Every structure is written in structure tokens, then in C-alpha cells.
mmCIF file of all heavy atoms in Angstrom:
data_model
loop_
_atom_site.group_PDB
_atom_site.id
_atom_site.type_symbol
_atom_site.label_atom_id
_atom_site.label_comp_id
_atom_site.label_asym_id
_atom_site.label_seq_id
_atom_site.Cartn_x
_atom_site.Cartn_y
_atom_site.Cartn_z
ATOM 1 N N ARG A 2 116.022 230.513 97.411
ATOM 2 C CA ARG A 2 115.249 230.992 96.272
ATOM 3 C C ARG A 2 115.239 232.464 96.069
ATOM 4 O O ARG A 2 114.249 233.089 95.483
ATOM 5 C CB ARG A 2 113.789 230.452 96.322
ATOM 6 C CG ARG A 2 113.785 228.927 96.327
ATOM 7 C CD ARG A 2 112.388 228.385 96.332
ATOM 8 N NE ARG A 2 112.355 226.975 96.533
ATOM 9 C CZ ARG A 2 112.488 226.100 95.447
ATOM 10 N NH1 ARG A 2 112.677 226.536 94.308
ATOM 11 N NH2 ARG A 2 112.509 224.797 95.726
ATOM 12 N N THR A 3 116.208 233.202 96.589
ATOM 13 C CA THR A 3 116.379 234.618 96.439
ATOM 14 C C THR A 3 117.770 235.056 96.673
ATOM 15 O O THR A 3 118.451 234.351 97.494
ATOM 16 C CB THR A 3 115.373 235.416 97.255
ATOM 17 O OG1 THR A 3 115.600 236.848 97.140
ATOM 18 C CG2 THR A 3 115.571 235.101 98.713
ATOM 19 N N GLY A 4 118.199 236.071 96.084
ATOM 20 C CA GLY A 4 119.531 236.595 96.435
ATOM 21 C C GLY A 4 119.545 237.620 97.552
ATOM 22 O O GLY A 4 120.599 238.061 98.044
ATOM 23 N N THR A 5 118.330 237.980 98.033
ATOM 24 C CA THR A 5 118.223 239.032 99.023
ATOM 25 C C THR A 5 117.268 238.489 100.099
ATOM 26 O O THR A 5 116.145 239.040 100.305
ATOM 27 C CB THR A 5 117.741 240.373 98.465
ATOM 28 O OG1 THR A 5 116.425 240.129 97.793
ATOM 29 C CG2 THR A 5 118.711 240.968 97.476
ATOM 30 N N PRO A 6 117.717 237.478 100.787
ATOM 31 C CA PRO A 6 116.800 236.920 101.869
ATOM 32 C C PRO A 6 116.603 237.743 103.080
ATOM 33 O O PRO A 6 117.420 238.650 103.397
ATOM 34 C CB PRO A 6 117.507 235.609 102.218
ATOM 35 C CG PRO A 6 118.937 235.936 102.054
ATOM 36 C CD PRO A 6 119.024 236.881 100.805
ATOM 37 N N SER A 7 115.595 237.512 103.826
ATOM 38 C CA SER A 7 115.408 238.177 105.108
ATOM 39 C C SER A 7 116.291 237.500 106.124
ATOM 40 O O SER A 7 116.718 236.334 106.010
ATOM 41 C CB SER A 7 113.873 238.120 105.503
ATOM 42 O OG SER A 7 113.575 236.710 105.806
ATOM 43 N N ALA A 8 116.526 238.238 107.286
ATOM 44 C CA ALA A 8 117.263 237.642 108.332
ATOM 45 C C ALA A 8 116.543 236.367 108.931
ATOM 46 O O ALA A 8 117.164 235.366 109.253
ATOM 47 C CB ALA A 8 117.417 238.753 109.421
ATOM 48 N N ALA A 9 115.214 236.446 108.894
ATOM 49 C CA ALA A 9 114.478 235.333 109.470
ATOM 50 C C ALA A 9 114.640 234.131 108.605
ATOM 51 O O ALA A 9 114.796 232.980 109.131
ATOM 52 C CB ALA A 9 112.938 235.714 109.560
ATOM 53 N N ALA A 10 114.666 234.277 107.265
ATOM 54 C CA ALA A 10 114.828 233.168 106.355
ATOM 55 C C ALA A 10 116.218 232.533 106.540
ATOM 56 O O ALA A 10 116.377 231.290 106.616
ATOM 57 C CB ALA A 10 114.612 233.576 104.931
ATOM 58 N N VAL A 11 117.231 233.377 106.696
ATOM 59 C CA VAL A 11 118.660 232.803 106.902
ATOM 60 C C VAL A 11 118.682 232.096 108.197
ATOM 61 O O VAL A 11 119.235 231.028 108.292
ATOM 62 C CB VAL A 11 119.648 234.004 106.876
ATOM 63 C CG1 VAL A 11 121.050 233.408 107.195
ATOM 64 C CG2 VAL A 11 119.651 234.608 105.447
ATOM 65 N N GLY A 12 118.133 232.697 109.170
ATOM 66 C CA GLY A 12 118.112 232.035 110.552
ATOM 67 C C GLY A 12 117.464 230.664 110.512
ATOM 68 O O GLY A 12 117.940 229.768 111.105
ATOM 69 N N ARG A 13 116.311 230.573 109.902
ATOM 70 C CA ARG A 13 115.546 229.306 109.828
ATOM 71 C C ARG A 13 116.347 228.267 109.091
ATOM 72 O O ARG A 13 116.401 227.087 109.494
ATOM 73 C CB ARG A 13 114.224 229.556 109.204
ATOM 74 C CG ARG A 13 113.175 230.234 110.085
ATOM 75 C CD ARG A 13 111.841 230.055 109.463
ATOM 76 N NE ARG A 13 111.700 230.663 108.139
ATOM 77 C CZ ARG A 13 111.284 231.913 107.922
ATOM 78 N NH1 ARG A 13 111.067 232.773 108.937
ATOM 79 N NH2 ARG A 13 111.267 232.410 106.724
ATOM 80 N N ALA A 14 116.998 228.657 108.019
ATOM 81 C CA ALA A 14 117.708 227.745 107.178
ATOM 82 C C ALA A 14 118.958 227.237 107.976
ATOM 83 O O ALA A 14 119.264 226.008 107.884
ATOM 84 C CB ALA A 14 118.202 228.390 105.837
ATOM 85 N N VAL A 15 119.697 228.094 108.600
ATOM 86 C CA VAL A 15 120.873 227.657 109.372
ATOM 87 C C VAL A 15 120.386 226.726 110.474
ATOM 88 O O VAL A 15 121.035 225.668 110.804
ATOM 89 C CB VAL A 15 121.607 228.840 109.944
ATOM 90 C CG1 VAL A 15 122.689 228.396 110.903
ATOM 91 C CG2 VAL A 15 122.299 229.622 108.789
ATOM 92 N N GLY A 16 119.272 227.083 111.087
ATOM 93 C CA GLY A 16 118.692 226.246 112.179
ATOM 94 C C GLY A 16 118.372 224.833 111.607
ATOM 95 O O GLY A 16 118.657 223.806 112.336
ATOM 96 N N ARG A 17 117.772 224.752 110.504
ATOM 97 C CA ARG A 17 117.399 223.457 109.896
ATOM 98 C C ARG A 17 118.628 222.609 109.713
ATOM 99 O O ARG A 17 118.665 221.396 110.047
ATOM 100 C CB ARG A 17 116.693 223.639 108.523
ATOM 101 C CG ARG A 17 115.261 224.134 108.641
ATOM 102 C CD ARG A 17 114.702 224.209 107.172
ATOM 103 N NE ARG A 17 114.749 222.902 106.604
ATOM 104 C CZ ARG A 17 114.552 222.721 105.232
ATOM 105 N NH1 ARG A 17 114.322 223.813 104.429
ATOM 106 N NH2 ARG A 17 114.587 221.513 104.715
ATOM 107 N N ILE A 18 119.700 223.213 109.155
ATOM 108 C CA ILE A 18 120.849 222.393 108.880
ATOM 109 C C ILE A 18 121.580 221.960 110.149
ATOM 110 O O ILE A 18 122.056 220.838 110.219
ATOM 111 C CB ILE A 18 121.878 223.251 107.978
ATOM 112 C CG1 ILE A 18 121.347 223.321 106.571
ATOM 113 C CG2 ILE A 18 123.299 222.683 108.041
ATOM 114 C CD1 ILE A 18 122.165 224.163 105.629
ATOM 115 N N ARG A 19 121.542 222.785 111.182
ATOM 116 C CA ARG A 19 122.216 222.405 112.446
ATOM 117 C C ARG A 19 121.451 221.262 113.127
ATOM 118 O O ARG A 19 121.985 220.453 113.865
ATOM 119 C CB ARG A 19 122.379 223.656 113.373
ATOM 120 C CG ARG A 19 123.294 224.609 112.809
ATOM 121 C CD ARG A 19 123.528 225.757 113.864
ATOM 122 N NE ARG A 19 124.260 225.267 114.999
ATOM 123 C CZ ARG A 19 124.386 225.999 116.143
ATOM 124 N NH1 ARG A 19 123.764 227.185 116.209
ATOM 125 N NH2 ARG A 19 125.024 225.522 117.237
ATOM 126 N N GLU A 20 120.086 221.269 112.937
ATOM 127 C CA GLU A 20 119.194 220.296 113.695
ATOM 128 C C GLU A 20 118.956 219.079 112.916
ATOM 129 O O GLU A 20 118.674 217.989 113.539
ATOM 130 C CB GLU A 20 117.871 221.037 113.990
ATOM 131 C CG GLU A 20 118.012 222.169 114.892
ATOM 132 C CD GLU A 20 116.757 223.023 114.934
ATOM 133 O OE1 GLU A 20 115.782 222.605 114.253
ATOM 134 O OE2 GLU A 20 116.765 224.092 115.581
ATOM 135 N N ASP A 21 119.125 219.121 111.580
ATOM 136 C CA ASP A 21 118.784 217.862 110.778
ATOM 137 C C ASP A 21 120.001 217.236 110.261
ATOM 138 O O ASP A 21 120.727 217.810 109.307
ATOM 139 C CB ASP A 21 117.839 218.348 109.632
ATOM 140 C CG ASP A 21 117.359 217.160 108.796
ATOM 141 O OD1 ASP A 21 117.878 216.048 108.980
ATOM 142 O OD2 ASP A 21 116.382 217.358 107.995
ATOM 143 N N PRO A 22 120.475 216.158 110.677
ATOM 144 C CA PRO A 22 121.713 215.433 110.274
ATOM 145 C C PRO A 22 121.695 215.022 108.763
ATOM 146 O O PRO A 22 122.753 214.795 108.273
ATOM 147 C CB PRO A 22 121.938 214.287 111.185
ATOM 148 C CG PRO A 22 120.530 213.973 111.684
ATOM 149 C CD PRO A 22 119.806 215.247 111.720
ATOM 150 N N THR A 23 120.532 214.961 108.142
ATOM 151 C CA THR A 23 120.495 214.504 106.756
ATOM 152 C C THR A 23 121.237 215.441 105.851
ATOM 153 O O THR A 23 121.752 215.023 104.796
ATOM 154 C CB THR A 23 119.047 214.333 106.268
ATOM 155 O OG1 THR A 23 118.306 215.473 106.297
ATOM 156 C CG2 THR A 23 118.348 213.246 107.178
ATOM 157 N N PHE A 24 121.230 216.700 106.149
ATOM 158 C CA PHE A 24 121.965 217.669 105.302
ATOM 159 C C PHE A 24 123.479 217.364 105.302
ATOM 160 O O PHE A 24 124.145 217.359 104.264
ATOM 161 C CB PHE A 24 121.744 219.167 105.730
ATOM 162 C CG PHE A 24 120.353 219.667 105.445
ATOM 163 C CD1 PHE A 24 119.386 219.790 106.533
ATOM 164 C CD2 PHE A 24 119.931 219.988 104.121
ATOM 165 C CE1 PHE A 24 118.147 220.223 106.214
ATOM 166 C CE2 PHE A 24 118.677 220.480 103.916
ATOM 167 C CZ PHE A 24 117.765 220.618 104.959
ATOM 168 N N ARG A 25 123.990 217.200 106.474
ATOM 169 C CA ARG A 25 125.433 216.862 106.565
ATOM 170 C C ARG A 25 125.773 215.525 105.985
ATOM 171 O O ARG A 25 126.805 215.326 105.323
ATOM 172 C CB ARG A 25 125.883 216.901 108.068
ATOM 173 C CG ARG A 25 127.408 216.752 108.203
ATOM 174 C CD ARG A 25 127.803 217.198 109.658
ATOM 175 N NE ARG A 25 127.612 218.637 109.813
ATOM 176 C CZ ARG A 25 128.415 219.519 109.316
ATOM 177 N NH1 ARG A 25 129.537 219.159 108.668
ATOM 178 N NH2 ARG A 25 128.184 220.812 109.636
ATOM 179 N N ASP A 26 124.867 214.550 106.165
ATOM 180 C CA ASP A 26 125.020 213.258 105.522
ATOM 181 C C ASP A 26 125.159 213.392 103.988
ATOM 182 O O ASP A 26 126.011 212.737 103.345
ATOM 183 C CB ASP A 26 123.929 212.309 105.915
ATOM 184 C CG ASP A 26 123.993 211.859 107.392
ATOM 185 O OD1 ASP A 26 125.020 212.103 108.056
ATOM 186 O OD2 ASP A 26 122.944 211.448 107.861
ATOM 187 N N ALA A 27 124.192 214.155 103.446
ATOM 188 C CA ALA A 27 124.196 214.327 101.945
ATOM 189 C C ALA A 27 125.442 215.144 101.530
ATOM 190 O O ALA A 27 126.025 214.710 100.463
ATOM 191 C CB ALA A 27 122.882 215.011 101.548
ATOM 192 N N ALA A 28 125.842 216.154 102.254
ATOM 193 C CA ALA A 28 127.025 216.820 101.911
ATOM 194 C C ALA A 28 128.266 215.940 101.942
ATOM 195 O O ALA A 28 129.181 216.038 101.081
ATOM 196 C CB ALA A 28 127.228 218.031 102.871
ATOM 197 N N ALA A 29 128.278 215.035 102.907
ATOM 198 C CA ALA A 29 129.447 214.103 103.039
ATOM 199 C C ALA A 29 129.468 213.170 101.755
ATOM 200 O O ALA A 29 130.578 212.851 101.303
ATOM 201 C CB ALA A 29 129.270 213.285 104.279
ATOM 202 N N ARG A 30 128.294 212.731 101.350
ATOM 203 C CA ARG A 30 128.222 211.877 100.089
ATOM 204 C C ARG A 30 128.730 212.610 98.928
ATOM 205 O O ARG A 30 129.561 212.068 98.149
ATOM 206 C CB ARG A 30 126.856 211.343 99.866
ATOM 207 C CG ARG A 30 126.285 210.302 100.802
ATOM 208 C CD ARG A 30 125.024 209.673 100.316
ATOM 209 N NE ARG A 30 124.000 210.617 100.135
ATOM 210 C CZ ARG A 30 123.130 210.946 101.108
ATOM 211 N NH1 ARG A 30 123.267 210.412 102.350
ATOM 212 N NH2 ARG A 30 122.121 211.804 100.909
ATOM 213 N N VAL A 31 128.274 213.802 98.753
ATOM 214 C CA VAL A 31 128.671 214.661 97.593
ATOM 215 C C VAL A 31 130.206 214.884 97.724
ATOM 216 O O VAL A 31 130.951 214.789 96.710
ATOM 217 C CB VAL A 31 127.947 215.973 97.473
ATOM 218 C CG1 VAL A 31 128.521 216.795 96.391
ATOM 219 C CG2 VAL A 31 126.457 215.675 97.249
ATOM 220 N N GLY A 32 130.696 215.231 98.903
ATOM 221 C CA GLY A 32 132.083 215.500 99.136
ATOM 222 C C GLY A 32 132.994 214.336 98.769
ATOM 223 O O GLY A 32 134.052 214.501 98.133
ATOM 224 N N ALA A 33 132.505 213.119 99.174
ATOM 225 C CA ALA A 33 133.357 211.924 98.848
ATOM 226 C C ALA A 33 133.433 211.655 97.378
ATOM 227 O O ALA A 33 134.526 211.308 96.821
ATOM 228 C CB ALA A 33 132.713 210.684 99.532
ATOM 229 N N ASP A 34 132.345 211.988 96.660
ATOM 230 C CA ASP A 34 132.328 211.811 95.230
ATOM 231 C C ASP A 34 133.277 212.813 94.618
ATOM 232 O O ASP A 34 134.013 212.539 93.628
ATOM 233 C CB ASP A 34 130.946 211.894 94.599
ATOM 234 C CG ASP A 34 130.911 211.510 93.139
ATOM 235 O OD1 ASP A 34 130.991 210.341 92.854
ATOM 236 O OD2 ASP A 34 130.809 212.377 92.342
ATOM 237 N N LEU A 35 133.197 214.105 95.004
ATOM 238 C CA LEU A 35 134.015 215.107 94.493
ATOM 239 C C LEU A 35 135.441 214.848 94.662
ATOM 240 O O LEU A 35 136.317 214.928 93.753
ATOM 241 C CB LEU A 35 133.707 216.523 95.172
ATOM 242 C CG LEU A 35 132.366 217.173 94.857
ATOM 243 C CD1 LEU A 35 132.086 218.359 95.713
ATOM 244 C CD2 LEU A 35 132.344 217.597 93.336
ATOM 245 N N ARG A 36 135.818 214.383 95.860
ATOM 246 C CA ARG A 36 137.248 214.034 96.174
ATOM 247 C C ARG A 36 137.714 212.901 95.390
ATOM 248 O O ARG A 36 138.920 212.733 95.075
ATOM 249 C CB ARG A 36 137.399 213.777 97.650
ATOM 250 C CG ARG A 36 137.154 215.045 98.591
ATOM 251 C CD ARG A 36 137.573 214.744 99.930
ATOM 252 N NE ARG A 36 136.929 213.680 100.564
ATOM 253 C CZ ARG A 36 135.748 213.656 101.250
ATOM 254 N NH1 ARG A 36 135.127 214.855 101.286
ATOM 255 N NH2 ARG A 36 135.241 212.617 101.751
ATOM 256 N N GLY A 37 136.869 211.951 95.007
ATOM 257 C CA GLY A 37 137.278 210.766 94.317
ATOM 258 C C GLY A 37 137.371 210.908 92.749
ATOM 259 O O GLY A 37 137.756 209.893 92.111
ATOM 260 N N ARG A 38 137.183 212.049 92.219
ATOM 261 C CA ARG A 38 137.138 212.249 90.679
ATOM 262 C C ARG A 38 138.448 212.800 90.203
ATOM 263 O O ARG A 38 138.560 212.971 88.970
ATOM 264 C CB ARG A 38 135.915 213.088 90.380
ATOM 265 C CG ARG A 38 134.685 212.314 90.552
ATOM 266 C CD ARG A 38 133.454 212.911 89.975
ATOM 267 N NE ARG A 38 132.308 212.029 90.071
ATOM 268 C CZ ARG A 38 132.014 211.089 89.192
ATOM 269 N NH1 ARG A 38 132.727 211.011 88.054
ATOM 270 N NH2 ARG A 38 131.056 210.225 89.374
#
């Protein structure tokens, strides 16, 4: 929600994605749809 994030915000976000598999699952769903069009 900003173009100039703090280092802490970037670190927390990367940590969330690495720890929560639902982000990768959703990206895989979107990716499959993109590739199929």
C-alpha cells in the first residue's frame, strides 16, 4: 500500500510469503490460468 515501504514492512511481507503456503498456492492457480489462455 505504498511505493516507499520501510525495510521492516518489506521484511515482514517476505516472511509472510515464505511461511504461509496459501500465497504460493494462489500464485500457482493464477499462473495456471495465465498459461492456459
Side-chain angles (χ1 to χ4, degrees):
R2 302 181 184 276
T3 176
T5 55
S7 67
V11 175
R13 285 193 300 269
V15 172
R17 284 182 61 194
I18 285 179
R19 294 184 67 190
E20 295 165 6
D21 186 347
T23 61
F24 288 107
R25 186 163 295 278
D26 292 343
R30 286 193 300 273
V31 175
D34 190 73
L35 290 170
R36 295 191 302 272
R38 292 189 170 271

